[in-house]
Structures are given as C-alpha cells and as structure tokens.
Amino acid sequence: MAKFIVEQSGPLRGEVDVSGSKNAVLPILAATLMAEGKCEIYDVPNLRDVDVMCRILRSMGASVEEDWETHTITTEIGSVLADEVPYELVKRMRASIFAMGPLLARTGKARIALPGGCSIGDRPIDLHNKGMRSLGARVTTDLGMVEVEAEKLQGSLIYLDFPSVGATENIMMAATMAEGLTTIENAAEEPEIVDLANFLNKMGARIKGAGTDTIRIEGVEKLRGARHTVIPDRIETGTFMVAAAITRGDVLIRNCVPDHVKPVIAKLMECGVTVNDEVEGLRVRGDIRKLVATDIKTMPYPGFPTDMQALFMALLSTVDGASTVIETVFENRFMHAAELSRMGANIKVNGRTAIVPGKNPLVGAQVISTDLRAGAALVLAGLMAKGTTEISEIYHIERGYDSFMEKLVSLGANIRRCED
Ligand code: UD1
C-alpha cells in the first residue's frame, strides 16, 4: 500500500492549474450511455474514479478511448447494452449509481449493486429510487442489488426531501428520455448539475432551470453524441486555496471559476487570508495578516461545501483562537478530527459539531486517510507540522485528485510517495 511522506515545508509559492471536476465528469461519462453516436469529453481529470467509470462503460459494451496527453475521453456505445453494474465495481466507487438513470432511459432496465455505507455515513439511495418510481419504474431491492425497470418512462413531478446531488443528476438523466414533462423540486443547485445539464442539452435534451431549485425536463425520443469541456474542479480549487493559506504562502490558482468557490473565499477572508481575483486566476496569500478563527457550517450549494470541511479543519487548527465546525450534510464526516488530533490539533467532537481550539503546534505523526478530502486535509496539515507525517491509505486521495503530489511539489512542498 502506498503512503505519502510529508515533511514540514515553507510557505507554498507559485502557480497551479486546476484539473477538470471529478464530480462533474462522473455523471457526464455515465450520460454518454444514452448517446447514439460519439461523445468527446475534454479536460477530464486522470483519476481512479474516472478509471472505474470507464470500466463501467466498457462493461456495458461501450468503446472508450482515454487520451491522457490531451485529457480527452471518447465514447461510443453500440446498440447492445448490458444492464448490470456488479458489486466489484460499485464497491470501488459509489458514483457507479450514476449508471442507473441512463441505463433505465436507454434500455428500460438497470441492475446496480447497492453501494452500502462508507466512512462518512450511511449514504442511502432512497431519493434516487423515489425519483425512478415517480417516473413509472418498478424498483426492487434484493440480494444486494437494486433493480429498476420500465417499458416507458413517464414525466412526473418529483419533490426531493433533501437536495441530493446524486439523486438530482440521476433523475435528470432518466427524465431526458421520459414521455412529457418532469419537474424536480428542491433540486440540488451545484455547478456540477449545471455542467451535466449543459452536456445533456448538447446531446439534444431539453432541460431548463439547472442551477436553481426547480429543474424542468421535457422528454425527447433520442439523444445524440456531443462534445463537452468539463468545468474546473471547485474542490481542488479550494484545496489549493487552503494549501496557500495553511503554509502562509502566496499561490496563483489558474483554471478556476471564482463564482463556484464564493463561500470558500468568504471564509478564508474571515480568517485573514487575502484572496484577489486576478486576470489569470485567484491569488491566495496567507502571508500578509495573522490568521484567526472562524466558524463553519456545511450546507448544500451555494452554502459552504461539505467537501471543504476537513480541509478547513486542518487550517483552523493552525490559526489564533477557537472555531466551531458544524457538519449538516453527512452524519459522520469527522473521522479526520481524530487523525488531526493525533498531530496535536486537540479537536473535540460532539455529534455534528466539532470545536477546533486552534494554535496548537502541529507535530508529524502516522495518520490514516479515511476518505478523499480527509486525506488531502492530512497532507496539508503535514506541510505545517513539525517533523515527518506519514499518511497511509492514500488511494482515497488518488481517487479524486489528479497529480496532487506533483502539483504540491511544484509549489515547493516537501512530499513524496512511497510503496509500503
Ligand atoms: C455528491 C458528491 C460528494 C459531495 C456530496 C455533497 C459526487 C460524485 N459526489 O455526493 O463529493 O460530498 O455530493 O455535496 O458528486 N441522501 C439520502 N438519500 C439519497 C441520497 C442522498 O438520504 O437517496 C443523503 C446522504 O446520505 C447525505 C445527503 O443526502 O447525507 C447528501 O448526499 P448527496 O447530495 O446525494 O451526495 P452524493 O451525490 O452522494
């Protein structure tokens, strides 16, 4: 098993390019299952999760070409599609569930292994199932599989009890080929949903309102192939912003959309970090003012992203004063608190609230990356910690960051990868 060895590093300085968004490209690749014709997707990040999605597409009978020189994936789907995604693939990536909507729309049937819980909570798929039922599908769960089936999908009004990102995307994909109008109310508003809707519309879908809490989809008979450039990853953007701040550095972050990281910018500025929107990107400086505590509460977009919570916890461990962090999106997303505390952060967790006392000097330790963002948070904490930090189970990090180590090294970080 590979590890990252991180040494205390000076302030990070330089320029870094953000890759395409993981959370946008995964449903977009799944959506190509509905296209009659070739799809070309540009700015695809080179990630384990993308590799799993490509395997899913291939297991369905698609031809998938990956060109990592240009970060382009080309897909073409033959007429015969398999309709089952086995546990072997689902256990590697929960986002495998994105195959459900497209397969149901294209073939009238999908059998997907149930994803089960993970280190950040139970993660049920009841809202995905509710959406498919509303569109007229029979949904059964048996022997660890969920099966959805319909002769013809029928447009419908669907109210989501929680604005789930994945459920909004899955329902939106299925509804593109349903008969008549589908309205999703209390829909998630994340930029990745807008990106998926833009791609589907290029394929010939008729979707309006993506990015608001009401999405309207007028069903069409067929979807064609399309070309699309994936939006920049807003969580990777935020990660490098925190990396600049935590090391009291000065980093220009290129290929990002400042509008997508508004809450991150606001919270960094509350901490005393300087963020300037320059022509080439966002310049983030942690070296101008003394950094101080701030409180964080995670919320669905446009609130503060849950995916940035662990990274902020690492930053808040190094500033003056105590901060409160409240996690409202996932029920168990504080595993990194214990790992950061092993490095001296002394964080107290009570239910969904964590108190970060701040200004405890961090010291290197052996820690475990419990999930993707938790792993990245530990790497950033390691850059500030005295001595050496050894982070294991880094496959989580490699699931979701393209060239994370290389990008950090280019900014002056002292980090290396080693096989155990
Ligand atoms: C997506 C992102 C993930 C991010 C999360 C929240 C992808 C591939 N992943 O995950 O990085 O952290 O949004 O911004 O895009 N829920 C239910 N029933 C459901 C579905 C969800 O109760 O059927 C609950 C979940 O357990 C969780 C909350 O809703 O507590 C949010 O989940 P959701 O928005 O669906 O997250 P994902 O789409 O899984």
Side-chain angles (χ1 to χ4, degrees), residues 291-304:
L291 302 193
V292 294
T294 191
D295 296 331
I296 303 281
K297 186 177 186 181
T298 67
M299 304 278 275
Y301 191 88
F304 186 87

Side-chain angles (χ1 to χ4, degrees), residues 22-24 26-27 49 93-95 97-98 120-130 160 162-169 188 190 192 234-235 299-301 305-308 327-331 333 352 372-373 399:
K22 166 180 93 72
N23 288 352
L26 295 174
D49 275 7
M93 183 184 68
R94 303 183 48 80
I97 197 73
F98 287 139
I120 62 175
D122 271 352
R123 307 194 72 177
I125 56 159
D126 55 314
L127 297 173
H128 300 243
N129 293 347
K130 173 180 167 174
L160 292 180
F162 183 88
S164 153
V165 177
T168 302
E169 293 170 335
E190 269 70 359
E192 294 77 20
R234 66 193 163 97
I235 306 301
M299 304 278 275
Y301 191 88
T306 171
D307 284 350
M308 287 301 301
E327 172 60 56
T328 75
V329 179
F330 289 105
E331 75 265 26
R333 202 169 196 178
R352 290 184 175 227
L372 165 57
R373 308 302 171 187
R399 269 188 43 220

Side-chain angles (χ1 to χ4, degrees), residues 287-345:
D287 59 347
I288 296 181
R289 283 192 292 271
K290 191 172 81 169
L291 302 193
V292 294
T294 191
D295 296 331
I296 303 281
K297 186 177 186 181
T298 67
M299 304 278 275
Y301 191 88
F304 186 87
T306 171
D307 284 350
M308 287 301 301
Q309 183 255 104
L311 294 142
F312 258 71
M313 204 180 262
L315 172 65
L316 296 174
S317 304
T318 70
V319 304
D320 266 10
S323 309
T324 303
V325 176
I326 303 176
E327 172 60 56
T328 75
V329 179
F330 289 105
E331 75 265 26
N332 185 28
R333 202 169 196 178
F334 278 145
M335 303 272 272
H336 46 277
E339 299 302 303
L340 286 168
S341 290
R342 300 194 65 247
M343 298 174 71

Side-chain angles (χ1 to χ4, degrees), residues 88-220:
E88 205 275 308
L89 291 169
V90 175
K91 75 177 181 202
R92 285 166 195 261
M93 183 184 68
R94 303 183 48 80
S96 306
I97 197 73
F98 287 139
M100 182 195 264
L103 282 178
L104 180 63
R106 182 82 189 261
T107 70
K109 191 175 173 195
R111 271 169 63 76
I112 321 269
L114 285 166
C118 72
S119 64
I120 62 175
D122 271 352
R123 307 194 72 177
I125 56 159
D126 55 314
L127 297 173
H128 300 243
N129 293 347
K130 173 180 167 174
M132 301 307 153
R133 268 195 201 101
S134 297
L135 294 173
R138 288 177 298 284
V139 181
T140 45
T141 50
D142 194 21
L143 299 173
M145 302 291 282
V146 55
E147 185 172 305
V148 289
E149 202 172 358
E151 283 76 50
K152 182 83 197 133
L153 293 175
Q154 188 62 49
S156 147
L157 172 67
I158 300 162
Y159 172 81
L160 292 180
D161 302 278
F162 183 88
S164 153
V165 177
T168 302
E169 293 170 335
N170 233 341
I171 297 166
M172 193 164 80
M173 290 191 279
T176 54
M177 287 167 84
E179 205 172 275
L181 182 71
T182 298
T183 305
I184 310 176
E185 288 183 347
N186 199 28
E189 300 174 30
E190 269 70 359
E192 294 77 20
I193 288 163
V194 179
D195 206 33
L196 173 64
N198 287 341
F199 175 60
L200 291 166
N201 284 341
K202 286 179 192 170
M203 290 167 74
R206 294 201 190 128
I207 302 172
K208 287 193 178 141
T212 75
D213 64 359
T214 306
I215 302 179
R216 290 195 174 80
I217 306 132
E218 215 186 300
V220 295

